[in-house]
Amino acid sequence: MNRKPDAHAAAADTVRWDDPRIAREWQLQERAQRDERAGAPMAEADPRLAQYRLLTRALRAPVMEPIPYGFAEQIARRVEAAAVGNDRVERYLQQLLLGVLVVLGVGMAWSTAASWLPSVQAPLQQLPQGSLTWGALAGACCLLTWGWDRVVRIVGSSRPDAGRAA
């Protein structure tokens, strides 16, 4: 630890009052404080005095209020709420677009069914009796199994203790 005073720091801390520039600046600062307290109008002739008056005015102004407790959380909640609102609109527009595309696809298939439907029906008529019902039953079983698995995953992930190891 250095306990000896630094020669350069001591020279910088001492003010030479006999220097006319320093004396003039001191006089301007004092005059700015007096004029500001008195409420005198600002003189445009001396811009340096105007700067000191603005500085004096800023220093006399009350300190700003501190940031309230939980400020960051409040802002985060506002931003999240705005984002959720924007997501809701976007999801609605996506669903609307998907619905329009499905309706247009069904309409296109319906309007051109005369050309492609006979070629699809011909192989189906050559299948053995009852094969369509067994195929539909197999499809229903697969759909039920995969659907039940999905329901179990959704319900299991929404429970609070689902992530804990036993």
Side-chain angles (χ1 to χ4, degrees):
M1 196 176 217
N2 189 1
R3 297 205 181 255
K4 294 180 183 177
D6 188 13
H8 297 293
D13 288 342
T14 59
V15 177
R16 295 193 50 201
W17 295 106
D18 57 344
D19 187 4
R21 292 176 297 163
I22 293 175
R24 187 173 53 246
E25 288 296 316
W26 181 262
Q27 297 279 332
L28 276 174
Q29 292 173 15
E30 290 295 320
R31 183 175 164 205
Q33 285 183 352
R34 279 193 312 271
D35 289 353
E36 194 60 35
R37 283 187 192 131
M42 268 198 209
E44 296 179 16
D46 196 358
R48 189 81 174 150
L49 179 64
Q51 287 177 344
Y52 281 129
R53 284 195 61 181
L54 288 174
L55 183 61
T56 302
R57 191 176 298 161
L59 290 173
R60 288 181 67 193
V63 179
M64 289 177 40
E65 293 281 329
I67 295 176
Y69 182 77
F71 176 74
E73 291 175 4
Q74 292 172 5
I75 296 299
R77 270 190 253 120
R78 285 183 191 170
V79 168
E80 187 176 315
V84 166
N86 290 343
D87 287 348
R88 189 178 313 133
V89 170
E90 187 175 339
R91 265 187 267 131
Y92 173 73
L93 290 174
Q94 285 177 347
Q95 290 172 352
L96 180 69
L97 179 63
L98 182 63
V100 168
L101 289 174
V102 167
V103 167
L104 287 174
V106 168
M108 185 63 105
W110 186 271
S111 66
T112 60
S115 63
W116 59 266
L117 191 57
S119 61
V120 171
Q121 286 177 343
L124 292 177
Q125 290 173 353
Q126 295 174 358
L127 290 174
Q129 283 290 3
S131 60
L132 288 179
T133 55
W134 283 108
L137 183 64
C141 286
C142 290
L143 187 63
L144 183 66
T145 304
W146 293 331
W148 181 254
D149 185 42
R150 182 72 177 149
V151 167
V152 168
R153 275 194 213 150
I154 290 172
V155 170
S157 66
S158 65
R159 290 188 335 190
D161 62 340
R164 282 190 212 139

